[in-house]
Amino acid sequence: MTDVKDWNKAGGEKTEAMLLTPDRERGIAVYEVCSACHLLEGWGLKDGTFPQLAGQHRNVLIKQLTDIRAKNRDNPTMYPFALDEQILAVAGYHEGEIKPAQLVADVTTYISKLPMNPDNGKGIWAEGTPEFEQGKKLYADNCTQCHGDNGEGSNEKFYPRIQGQHYAYMLRQFEWIRDGKRRNANPDMVKQIKGFSDMDMKMVINYVSRQKVPAKDLAPSTDYQNPDYD
């Protein structure tokens, strides 16, 4: 099993970005690079190829982006788009004119405020089925302490919001964390889920995928288009 890196050590670009005042217009400009995969709305894809980013906690987004930039999280598809020259260029800056950490602060704040997809990708077992109920129990016994009763997560503690996330994406990440393939995973989670079978994993992620997102955080319909890119 791959060693899990220090999960959340303070300092570096992550802490720097957290302390900077974000600029919305720069965030819009930088996010255009991200939208090639995550879509202009930040909704990703139901097939799990790309996660929904819209509505995710700002600190979680900062940590994951800075981990990818520092190569502490393996993401070869995203890494080229997260390099300094890419995010500087799209924001209209040259090296030395602005700190990349500022652009990280700008884009993550922008993403965190995007309305979420009202129809995220879900697992196959509906509420009331034995598999749904077992997933609910597994979640209550193993996940609520960090991710909250309804998958709301915590910005302060860097726990991702998983309500509204696509089933297929969560399933892949859960498997990688369980099997030690995601190097920046929380070591407490690695220990907590190491005994999960593949079926356990599918049932608990199915349950999470069906947790309701508060209406105030959702786009009005699946036809919604991000007005910042008209």
Side-chain angles (χ1 to χ4, degrees):
M1 179 181 290
T2 304
D3 289 338
V4 177
K5 286 189 173 290
D6 189 335
W7 179 67
N8 203 22
K9 184 178 180 180
E13 186 178 70
K14 181 196 74 176
T15 299
E16 183 181 3
M18 287 173 58
L19 297 174
L20 292 168
T21 301
D23 180 278
R24 187 176 187 275
E25 293 305 313
R26 281 198 305 256
I28 292 171
V30 174
Y31 183 69
E32 194 164 2
V33 172
C34 315
S35 69
C37 295
H38 296 285
L39 309 185
L40 291 174
E41 292 69 42
W43 290 358
L45 298 176
K46 282 188 174 184
D47 68 5
T49 307
F50 304 110
Q52 170 159 228
L53 301 182
Q56 184 57 265
H57 297 303
R58 177 178 186 252
N59 286 351
V60 171
L61 292 168
I62 288 174
K63 172 175 167 48
Q64 297 306 320
L65 179 54
T66 55
D67 276 356
I68 289 169
R69 283 169 50 77
K71 294 188 175 180
N72 288 333
R73 175 177 172 180
D74 300 318
N75 193 325
T77 301
M78 182 173 165
Y79 179 71
F81 296 98
L83 294 173
D84 285 358
E85 54 264 33
Q86 285 286 346
I87 61 174
L88 286 168
V90 75
Y93 293 95
H94 298 289
E95 187 175 356
E97 292 182 330
I98 191 171
K99 289 185 176 182
Q102 178 65 64
L103 301 181
V104 168
D106 299 336
V107 73
T108 53
T109 302
Y110 177 70
I111 293 168
S112 71
K113 296 179 179 179
L114 290 173
M116 298 173 70
N117 187 345
D119 185 27
N120 64 293
K122 298 175 179 64
I124 62 173
W125 296 300
E127 187 171 355
T129 61
E131 293 85 359
F132 178 92
E133 295 304 321
Q134 178 61 15
K136 180 178 181 179
K137 183 178 186 305
L138 287 167
Y139 184 84
D141 291 346
N142 295 277
C143 311
T144 57
Q145 184 173 353
C146 295
H147 291 288
D149 291 342
N150 300 300
E152 66 271 20
S154 169
N155 182 63
E156 180 183 355
K157 296 181 179 179
F158 297 85
Y159 297 138
R161 180 183 201 174
I162 51 178
Q163 60 179 193
Q165 186 57 267
H166 302 305
Y167 168 82
Y169 175 77
M170 288 192 289
L171 192 67
R172 183 170 74 252
Q173 295 304 311
F174 190 105
E175 183 175 17
W176 286 358
I177 292 168
R178 183 195 65 179
D179 297 347
K181 295 179 181 178
R182 182 163 154 175
R183 294 185 296 118
N184 76 333
N186 183 340
D188 290 336
M189 180 174 177
V190 177
K191 294 175 185 176
Q192 188 72 29
I193 67 173
K194 65 181 180 180
F196 275 53
S197 68
D198 287 353
M199 187 61 177
D200 291 336
M201 175 176 67
K202 292 174 182 177
M203 289 188 293
V204 75
I205 297 302
N206 174 81
Y207 173 75
V208 173
S209 74
R210 292 176 175 275
Q211 292 309 289
K212 305 280 188 207
V213 176
K216 66 180 179 60
D217 297 335
L218 292 172
S221 75
T222 55
D223 295 327
Y224 173 83
Q225 294 183 324
N226 189 338
D228 295 324
Y229 296 97
D230 284 346

Tab-separated table of all heavy atoms in Angstrom, residues 120-172:
chain	number	residue	atom	x	y	z
A	120	ASN	N	-27.738	15.110	-9.683
A	120	ASN	CA	-26.428	14.440	-9.707
A	120	ASN	C	-26.575	12.959	-10.015
A	120	ASN	O	-27.654	12.372	-9.863
A	120	ASN	CB	-25.729	14.610	-8.354
A	120	ASN	CG	-26.477	13.926	-7.222
A	120	ASN	OD1	-27.579	14.332	-6.867
A	120	ASN	ND2	-25.889	12.885	-6.657
A	121	GLY	N	-25.491	12.344	-10.440
A	121	GLY	CA	-25.490	10.909	-10.718
A	121	GLY	C	-25.686	10.105	-9.443
A	121	GLY	O	-25.006	10.340	-8.439
A	122	LYS	N	-26.609	9.155	-9.476
A	122	LYS	CA	-26.960	8.378	-8.282
A	122	LYS	C	-26.737	6.888	-8.508
A	122	LYS	O	-26.706	6.408	-9.637
A	122	LYS	CB	-28.419	8.640	-7.902
A	122	LYS	CG	-28.697	10.099	-7.553
A	122	LYS	CD	-30.171	10.348	-7.294
A	122	LYS	CE	-30.435	11.798	-6.924
A	122	LYS	NZ	-30.112	12.741	-8.030
A	123	GLY	N	-26.623	6.156	-7.388
A	123	GLY	CA	-26.521	4.706	-7.447
A	123	GLY	C	-27.856	4.069	-7.798
A	123	GLY	O	-28.874	4.755	-7.949
A	124	ILE	N	-27.872	2.749	-7.879
A	124	ILE	CA	-29.043	2.053	-8.430
A	124	ILE	C	-30.117	1.730	-7.398
A	124	ILE	O	-31.259	1.452	-7.759
A	124	ILE	CB	-28.634	0.745	-9.135
A	124	ILE	CG1	-27.981	-0.224	-8.144
A	124	ILE	CG2	-27.702	1.040	-10.303
A	124	ILE	CD1	-27.702	-1.610	-8.755
A	125	TRP	N	-29.774	1.781	-6.086
A	125	TRP	CA	-30.726	1.303	-5.076
A	125	TRP	C	-31.506	2.464	-4.479
A	125	TRP	O	-30.943	3.361	-3.846
A	125	TRP	CB	-29.996	0.539	-3.982
A	125	TRP	CG	-29.342	-0.706	-4.490
A	125	TRP	CD1	-29.964	-1.771	-5.091
A	125	TRP	CD2	-27.944	-0.999	-4.484
A	125	TRP	NE1	-29.039	-2.723	-5.434
A	125	TRP	CE2	-27.788	-2.283	-5.078
A	125	TRP	CE3	-26.821	-0.330	-4.015
A	125	TRP	CZ2	-26.541	-2.891	-5.215
A	125	TRP	CZ3	-25.573	-0.921	-4.150
A	125	TRP	CH2	-25.445	-2.186	-4.744
A	126	ALA	N	-32.822	2.432	-4.649
A	126	ALA	CA	-33.688	3.501	-4.159
A	126	ALA	C	-33.936	3.343	-2.661
A	126	ALA	O	-33.737	2.273	-2.073
A	126	ALA	CB	-35.011	3.477	-4.911
A	127	GLU	N	-34.402	4.429	-2.048
A	127	GLU	CA	-34.732	4.421	-0.629
A	127	GLU	C	-35.744	3.324	-0.333
A	127	GLU	O	-36.707	3.121	-1.077
A	127	GLU	CB	-35.298	5.781	-0.226
A	127	GLU	CG	-35.523	5.931	1.259
A	127	GLU	CD	-35.881	7.345	1.650
A	127	GLU	OE1	-35.872	8.240	0.773
A	127	GLU	OE2	-36.180	7.554	2.848
A	128	GLY	N	-35.519	2.595	0.739
A	128	GLY	CA	-36.416	1.509	1.139
A	128	GLY	C	-35.920	0.135	0.754
A	128	GLY	O	-36.377	-0.865	1.319
A	129	THR	N	-34.989	0.041	-0.193
A	129	THR	CA	-34.432	-1.259	-0.554
A	129	THR	C	-33.445	-1.708	0.523
A	129	THR	O	-32.890	-0.880	1.251
A	129	THR	CB	-33.700	-1.190	-1.905
A	129	THR	OG1	-32.612	-0.253	-1.791
A	129	THR	CG2	-34.634	-0.754	-3.021
A	130	PRO	N	-33.209	-3.016	0.648
A	130	PRO	CA	-32.250	-3.494	1.664
A	130	PRO	C	-30.858	-2.892	1.479
A	130	PRO	O	-30.184	-2.583	2.465
A	130	PRO	CB	-32.239	-5.006	1.443
A	130	PRO	CG	-33.561	-5.314	0.808
A	130	PRO	CD	-33.885	-4.139	-0.050
A	131	GLU	N	-30.444	-2.715	0.227
A	131	GLU	CA	-29.110	-2.175	-0.041
A	131	GLU	C	-29.007	-0.706	0.396
A	131	GLU	O	-27.988	-0.273	0.937
A	131	GLU	CB	-28.771	-2.304	-1.526
A	131	GLU	CG	-28.596	-3.729	-2.010
A	131	GLU	CD	-29.930	-4.400	-2.389
A	131	GLU	OE1	-30.996	-3.748	-2.250
A	131	GLU	OE2	-29.892	-5.563	-2.824
A	132	PHE	N	-30.075	0.040	0.166
A	132	PHE	CA	-30.096	1.437	0.610
A	132	PHE	C	-30.006	1.503	2.127
A	132	PHE	O	-29.231	2.304	2.688
A	132	PHE	CB	-31.371	2.129	0.134
A	132	PHE	CG	-31.492	3.555	0.589
A	132	PHE	CD1	-31.019	4.596	-0.196
A	132	PHE	CD2	-32.092	3.864	1.820
A	132	PHE	CE1	-31.139	5.919	0.232
A	132	PHE	CE2	-32.204	5.181	2.253
A	132	PHE	CZ	-31.727	6.215	1.453
A	133	GLU	N	-30.787	0.688	2.809
A	133	GLU	CA	-30.813	0.713	4.265
A	133	GLU	C	-29.472	0.272	4.855
A	133	GLU	O	-29.017	0.829	5.871
A	133	GLU	CB	-31.946	-0.176	4.788
A	133	GLU	CG	-33.336	0.325	4.398
A	133	GLU	CD	-33.602	1.767	4.835
A	133	GLU	OE1	-33.168	2.133	5.956
A	133	GLU	OE2	-34.240	2.519	4.068
A	134	GLN	N	-28.821	-0.692	4.235
A	134	GLN	CA	-27.509	-1.112	4.718
A	134	GLN	C	-26.472	-0.011	4.477
A	134	GLN	O	-25.605	0.231	5.318
A	134	GLN	CB	-27.070	-2.411	4.027
A	134	GLN	CG	-25.690	-2.918	4.431
A	134	GLN	CD	-25.569	-3.246	5.915
A	134	GLN	OE1	-26.571	-3.358	6.624
A	134	GLN	NE2	-24.337	-3.396	6.403
A	135	GLY	N	-26.578	0.665	3.340
A	135	GLY	CA	-25.695	1.796	3.073
A	135	GLY	C	-25.889	2.898	4.097
A	135	GLY	O	-24.924	3.525	4.550
A	136	LYS	N	-27.130	3.136	4.473
A	136	LYS	CA	-27.454	4.139	5.489
A	136	LYS	C	-26.799	3.790	6.825
A	136	LYS	O	-26.238	4.657	7.515
A	136	LYS	CB	-28.969	4.227	5.651
A	136	LYS	CG	-29.441	5.246	6.674
A	136	LYS	CD	-30.972	5.288	6.723
A	136	LYS	CE	-31.460	6.328	7.730
A	136	LYS	NZ	-32.950	6.384	7.760
A	137	LYS	N	-26.856	2.513	7.190
A	137	LYS	CA	-26.239	2.065	8.440
A	137	LYS	C	-24.722	2.203	8.389
A	137	LYS	O	-24.086	2.671	9.343
A	137	LYS	CB	-26.623	0.620	8.729
A	137	LYS	CG	-26.075	0.101	10.057
A	137	LYS	CD	-26.513	-1.319	10.331
A	137	LYS	CE	-26.080	-1.760	11.731
A	137	LYS	NZ	-24.638	-1.605	11.987
A	138	LEU	N	-24.136	1.795	7.271
A	138	LEU	CA	-22.688	1.919	7.123
A	138	LEU	C	-22.257	3.379	7.217
A	138	LEU	O	-21.235	3.699	7.835
A	138	LEU	CB	-22.242	1.331	5.778
A	138	LEU	CG	-22.262	-0.184	5.663
A	138	LEU	CD1	-22.117	-0.614	4.202
A	138	LEU	CD2	-21.136	-0.800	6.504
A	139	TYR	N	-23.045	4.249	6.628
A	139	TYR	CA	-22.724	5.674	6.672
A	139	TYR	C	-22.801	6.192	8.112
A	139	TYR	O	-21.891	6.900	8.577
A	139	TYR	CB	-23.661	6.475	5.774
A	139	TYR	CG	-23.290	7.942	5.718
A	139	TYR	CD1	-22.319	8.387	4.831
A	139	TYR	CD2	-23.877	8.865	6.577
A	139	TYR	CE1	-21.941	9.726	4.803
A	139	TYR	CE2	-23.511	10.201	6.562
A	139	TYR	CZ	-22.544	10.629	5.670
A	139	TYR	OH	-22.171	11.941	5.664
A	140	ALA	N	-23.871	5.846	8.813
A	140	ALA	CA	-24.052	6.311	10.190
A	140	ALA	C	-22.938	5.807	11.095
A	140	ALA	O	-22.460	6.526	11.983
A	140	ALA	CB	-25.404	5.857	10.716
A	141	ASP	N	-22.491	4.585	10.859
A	141	ASP	CA	-21.480	3.968	11.724
A	141	ASP	C	-20.061	4.435	11.410
A	141	ASP	O	-19.178	4.348	12.271
A	141	ASP	CB	-21.533	2.443	11.588
A	141	ASP	CG	-22.801	1.845	12.184
A	141	ASP	OD1	-23.504	2.556	12.922
A	141	ASP	OD2	-23.088	0.664	11.884
A	142	ASN	N	-19.838	4.923	10.199
A	142	ASN	CA	-18.456	5.165	9.774
A	142	ASN	C	-18.146	6.569	9.252
A	142	ASN	O	-16.974	6.961	9.232
A	142	ASN	CB	-18.083	4.167	8.667
A	142	ASN	CG	-18.055	2.744	9.128
A	142	ASN	OD1	-17.070	2.275	9.691
A	142	ASN	ND2	-19.157	2.024	8.902
A	143	CYS	N	-19.156	7.316	8.834
A	143	CYS	CA	-18.887	8.518	8.047
A	143	CYS	C	-19.369	9.827	8.649
A	143	CYS	O	-18.868	10.899	8.279
A	143	CYS	CB	-19.511	8.369	6.650
A	143	CYS	SG	-19.133	6.803	5.828
A	144	THR	N	-20.354	9.767	9.540
A	144	THR	CA	-20.981	11.006	10.001
A	144	THR	C	-20.039	11.901	10.793
A	144	THR	O	-20.175	13.121	10.769
A	144	THR	CB	-22.223	10.717	10.860
A	144	THR	OG1	-21.840	9.879	11.965
A	144	THR	CG2	-23.295	10.018	10.045
A	145	GLN	N	-19.083	11.327	11.486
A	145	GLN	CA	-18.204	12.125	12.342
A	145	GLN	C	-17.438	13.168	11.522
A	145	GLN	O	-17.159	14.263	12.011
A	145	GLN	CB	-17.222	11.224	13.094
A	145	GLN	CG	-16.344	11.991	14.074
A	145	GLN	CD	-15.492	11.075	14.932
A	145	GLN	OE1	-15.627	9.851	14.896
A	145	GLN	NE2	-14.596	11.662	15.708
A	146	CYS	N	-17.109	12.824	10.290
A	146	CYS	CA	-16.371	13.762	9.437
A	146	CYS	C	-17.269	14.438	8.401
A	146	CYS	O	-17.220	15.655	8.234
A	146	CYS	CB	-15.224	13.049	8.731
A	146	CYS	SG	-13.931	12.442	9.855
A	147	HIS	N	-18.070	13.662	7.711
A	147	HIS	CA	-18.843	14.196	6.585
A	147	HIS	C	-20.221	14.723	6.984
A	147	HIS	O	-20.920	15.292	6.137
A	147	HIS	CB	-18.978	13.142	5.488
A	147	HIS	CG	-17.682	12.840	4.793
A	147	HIS	ND1	-17.091	13.724	3.917
A	147	HIS	CD2	-16.867	11.758	4.843
A	147	HIS	CE1	-15.962	13.204	3.465
A	147	HIS	NE2	-15.802	12.012	4.018
A	148	GLY	N	-20.607	14.547	8.262
A	148	GLY	CA	-21.875	15.074	8.722
A	148	GLY	C	-23.035	14.130	8.481
A	148	GLY	O	-22.920	13.164	7.730
A	149	ASP	N	-24.159	14.420	9.094
A	149	ASP	CA	-25.326	13.539	9.016
A	149	ASP	C	-25.846	13.384	7.594
A	149	ASP	O	-26.397	12.338	7.244
A	149	ASP	CB	-26.449	14.073	9.905
A	149	ASP	CG	-26.121	13.956	11.391
A	149	ASP	OD1	-25.216	13.171	11.739
A	149	ASP	OD2	-26.770	14.655	12.184
A	150	ASN	N	-25.697	14.420	6.775
A	150	ASN	CA	-26.249	14.387	5.421
A	150	ASN	C	-25.191	14.582	4.332
A	150	ASN	O	-25.510	14.966	3.220
A	150	ASN	CB	-27.333	15.466	5.284
A	150	ASN	CG	-28.474	15.252	6.259
A	150	ASN	OD1	-29.137	14.227	6.227
A	150	ASN	ND2	-28.685	16.209	7.141
A	151	GLY	N	-23.932	14.353	4.685
A	151	GLY	CA	-22.871	14.495	3.696
A	151	GLY	C	-22.457	15.928	3.450
A	151	GLY	O	-21.837	16.231	2.427
A	152	GLU	N	-22.772	16.819	4.424
A	152	GLU	CA	-22.495	18.242	4.225
A	152	GLU	C	-21.031	18.609	4.407
A	152	GLU	O	-20.586	19.674	3.964
A	152	GLU	CB	-23.360	19.087	5.153
A	152	GLU	CG	-23.075	18.930	6.622
A	152	GLU	CD	-23.869	17.819	7.303
A	152	GLU	OE1	-24.370	16.920	6.600
A	152	GLU	OE2	-23.992	17.869	8.546
A	153	GLY	N	-20.240	17.750	5.050
A	153	GLY	CA	-18.823	18.018	5.225
A	153	GLY	C	-18.555	19.205	6.132
A	153	GLY	O	-19.427	19.683	6.852
A	154	SER	N	-17.308	19.713	6.077
A	154	SER	CA	-16.924	20.842	6.931
A	154	SER	C	-15.842	21.659	6.245
A	154	SER	O	-14.765	21.132	5.949
A	154	SER	CB	-16.409	20.342	8.288
A	154	SER	OG	-15.795	21.385	9.020
A	155	ASN	N	-16.130	22.925	6.016
A	155	ASN	CA	-15.117	23.814	5.449
A	155	ASN	C	-13.966	24.002	6.430
A	155	ASN	O	-12.795	23.941	6.059
A	155	ASN	CB	-15.742	25.170	5.117
A	155	ASN	CG	-14.763	26.124	4.473
A	155	ASN	OD1	-14.250	25.874	3.383
A	155	ASN	ND2	-14.480	27.243	5.133
A	156	GLU	N	-14.287	24.202	7.685
A	156	GLU	CA	-13.276	24.468	8.712
A	156	GLU	C	-12.297	23.302	8.871
A	156	GLU	O	-11.092	23.504	9.045
A	156	GLU	CB	-13.955	24.753	10.045
A	156	GLU	CG	-12.990	25.040	11.186
A	156	GLU	CD	-13.696	25.247	12.515
A	156	GLU	OE1	-14.955	25.261	12.537
A	156	GLU	OE2	-13.002	25.390	13.533
A	157	LYS	N	-12.822	22.074	8.773
A	157	LYS	CA	-11.991	20.891	9.005
A	157	LYS	C	-11.525	20.222	7.712
A	157	LYS	O	-10.926	19.156	7.751
A	157	LYS	CB	-12.756	19.891	9.871
A	157	LYS	CG	-13.064	20.429	11.269
A	157	LYS	CD	-13.798	19.404	12.108
A	157	LYS	CE	-14.081	19.932	13.504
A	157	LYS	NZ	-14.813	18.942	14.337
A	158	PHE	N	-11.836	20.832	6.564
A	158	PHE	CA	-11.389	20.329	5.257
A	158	PHE	C	-12.039	19.011	4.863
A	158	PHE	O	-11.513	18.271	4.035
A	158	PHE	CB	-9.855	20.168	5.217
A	158	PHE	CG	-9.104	21.454	5.388
A	158	PHE	CD1	-8.817	21.950	6.651
A	158	PHE	CD2	-8.681	22.176	4.283
A	158	PHE	CE1	-8.124	23.137	6.815
A	158	PHE	CE2	-7.991	23.369	4.431
A	158	PHE	CZ	-7.713	23.851	5.697
A	159	TYR	N	-13.208	18.700	5.440
A	159	TYR	CA	-13.916	17.485	5.054
A	159	TYR	C	-14.822	17.800	3.870
A	159	TYR	O	-15.671	18.696	3.952
A	159	TYR	CB	-14.752	16.943	6.211
A	159	TYR	CG	-13.940	16.521	7.413
A	159	TYR	CD1	-14.376	16.820	8.698
A	159	TYR	CD2	-12.746	15.829	7.264
A	159	TYR	CE1	-13.640	16.432	9.817
A	159	TYR	CE2	-11.999	15.443	8.369
A	159	TYR	CZ	-12.454	15.745	9.633
A	159	TYR	OH	-11.718	15.366	10.728
A	160	PRO	N	-14.696	17.093	2.774
A	160	PRO	CA	-15.470	17.425	1.564
A	160	PRO	C	-16.980	17.297	1.767
A	160	PRO	O	-17.455	16.435	2.507
A	160	PRO	CB	-14.993	16.394	0.540
A	160	PRO	CG	-13.670	15.936	1.036
A	160	PRO	CD	-13.739	15.999	2.532
A	161	ARG	N	-17.681	18.165	1.087
A	161	ARG	CA	-19.132	18.015	0.959
A	161	ARG	C	-19.357	16.916	-0.070
A	161	ARG	O	-18.919	17.012	-1.218
A	161	ARG	CB	-19.734	19.332	0.470
A	161	ARG	CG	-21.233	19.292	0.298
A	161	ARG	CD	-21.748	20.613	-0.253
A	161	ARG	NE	-23.165	20.785	0.021
A	161	ARG	CZ	-23.840	21.898	-0.238
A	161	ARG	NH1	-23.232	22.932	-0.793
A	161	ARG	NH2	-25.121	21.977	0.048
A	162	ILE	N	-20.036	15.845	0.328
A	162	ILE	CA	-20.246	14.736	-0.599
A	162	ILE	C	-21.710	14.593	-1.012
A	162	ILE	O	-22.005	13.849	-1.957
A	162	ILE	CB	-19.702	13.402	-0.035
A	162	ILE	CG1	-20.232	13.135	1.376
A	162	ILE	CG2	-18.174	13.428	-0.025
A	162	ILE	CD1	-19.765	11.817	1.971
A	163	GLN	N	-22.621	15.290	-0.338
A	163	GLN	CA	-24.007	15.312	-0.803
A	163	GLN	C	-24.026	15.998	-2.171
A	163	GLN	O	-23.365	17.013	-2.381
A	163	GLN	CB	-24.917	16.050	0.178
A	163	GLN	CG	-24.543	17.486	0.414
A	163	GLN	CD	-25.449	18.242	1.378
A	163	GLN	OE1	-25.367	19.435	1.442
A	163	GLN	NE2	-26.298	17.578	2.151
A	164	GLY	N	-24.752	15.427	-3.120
A	164	GLY	CA	-24.832	16.018	-4.448
A	164	GLY	C	-23.708	15.621	-5.379
A	164	GLY	O	-23.735	15.971	-6.562
A	165	GLN	N	-22.726	14.891	-4.861
A	165	GLN	CA	-21.629	14.459	-5.728
A	165	GLN	C	-22.054	13.236	-6.546
A	165	GLN	O	-22.942	12.480	-6.152
A	165	GLN	CB	-20.399	14.126	-4.884
A	165	GLN	CG	-19.139	13.811	-5.671
A	165	GLN	CD	-18.742	14.929	-6.610
A	165	GLN	OE1	-19.131	14.909	-7.793
A	165	GLN	NE2	-18.004	15.922	-6.096
A	166	HIS	N	-21.433	13.049	-7.693
A	166	HIS	CA	-21.792	11.934	-8.573
A	166	HIS	C	-21.366	10.594	-7.971
A	166	HIS	O	-20.231	10.442	-7.491
A	166	HIS	CB	-21.150	12.114	-9.944
A	166	HIS	CG	-21.533	13.385	-10.627
A	166	HIS	ND1	-22.844	13.738	-10.844
A	166	HIS	CD2	-20.775	14.404	-11.142
A	166	HIS	CE1	-22.889	14.904	-11.461
A	166	HIS	NE2	-21.654	15.331	-11.644
A	167	TYR	N	-22.278	9.635	-8.032
A	167	TYR	CA	-22.038	8.292	-7.492
A	167	TYR	C	-20.754	7.688	-8.054
A	167	TYR	O	-19.903	7.189	-7.301
A	167	TYR	CB	-23.237	7.396	-7.811
A	167	TYR	CG	-23.011	5.924	-7.558
A	167	TYR	CD1	-23.135	5.396	-6.273
A	167	TYR	CD2	-22.685	5.055	-8.601
A	167	TYR	CE1	-22.931	4.046	-6.036
A	167	TYR	CE2	-22.480	3.711	-8.372
A	167	TYR	CZ	-22.598	3.197	-7.090
A	167	TYR	OH	-22.402	1.857	-6.864
A	168	ALA	N	-20.599	7.699	-9.369
A	168	ALA	CA	-19.462	7.021	-9.995
A	168	ALA	C	-18.136	7.649	-9.583
A	168	ALA	O	-17.134	6.947	-9.397
A	168	ALA	CB	-19.613	7.021	-11.517
A	169	TYR	N	-18.119	8.960	-9.435
A	169	TYR	CA	-16.885	9.615	-8.998
A	169	TYR	C	-16.557	9.229	-7.555
A	169	TYR	O	-15.412	8.881	-7.232
A	169	TYR	CB	-17.011	11.134	-9.114
A	169	TYR	CG	-15.797	11.844	-8.568
A	169	TYR	CD1	-14.612	11.902	-9.292
A	169	TYR	CD2	-15.822	12.431	-7.297
A	169	TYR	CE1	-13.484	12.523	-8.776
A	169	TYR	CE2	-14.698	13.056	-6.776
A	169	TYR	CZ	-13.536	13.102	-7.525
A	169	TYR	OH	-12.418	13.704	-6.996
A	170	MET	N	-17.556	9.296	-6.675
A	170	MET	CA	-17.313	8.947	-5.276
A	170	MET	C	-16.869	7.496	-5.132
A	170	MET	O	-16.011	7.183	-4.296
A	170	MET	CB	-18.570	9.194	-4.443
A	170	MET	CG	-18.879	10.659	-4.222
A	170	MET	SD	-20.148	10.924	-2.958
A	170	MET	CE	-21.620	10.343	-3.824
A	171	LEU	N	-17.455	6.618	-5.916
A	171	LEU	CA	-17.099	5.207	-5.840
A	171	LEU	C	-15.625	5.010	-6.177
A	171	LEU	O	-14.904	4.276	-5.483
A	171	LEU	CB	-17.978	4.405	-6.803
A	171	LEU	CG	-17.944	2.886	-6.648
A	171	LEU	CD1	-18.557	2.465	-5.317
A	171	LEU	CD2	-18.704	2.225	-7.801
A	172	ARG	N	-15.164	5.676	-7.220
A	172	ARG	CA	-13.756	5.546	-7.617
A	172	ARG	C	-12.823	6.103	-6.539
A	172	ARG	O	-11.826	5.470	-6.177
A	172	ARG	CB	-13.508	6.269	-8.942
A	172	ARG	CG	-12.079	6.104	-9.454
A	172	ARG	CD	-11.912	6.618	-10.864
A	172	ARG	NE	-11.912	8.075	-10.948
A	172	ARG	CZ	-12.901	8.802	-11.445
A	172	ARG	NH1	-14.003	8.210	-11.897
A	172	ARG	NH2	-12.818	10.121	-11.502
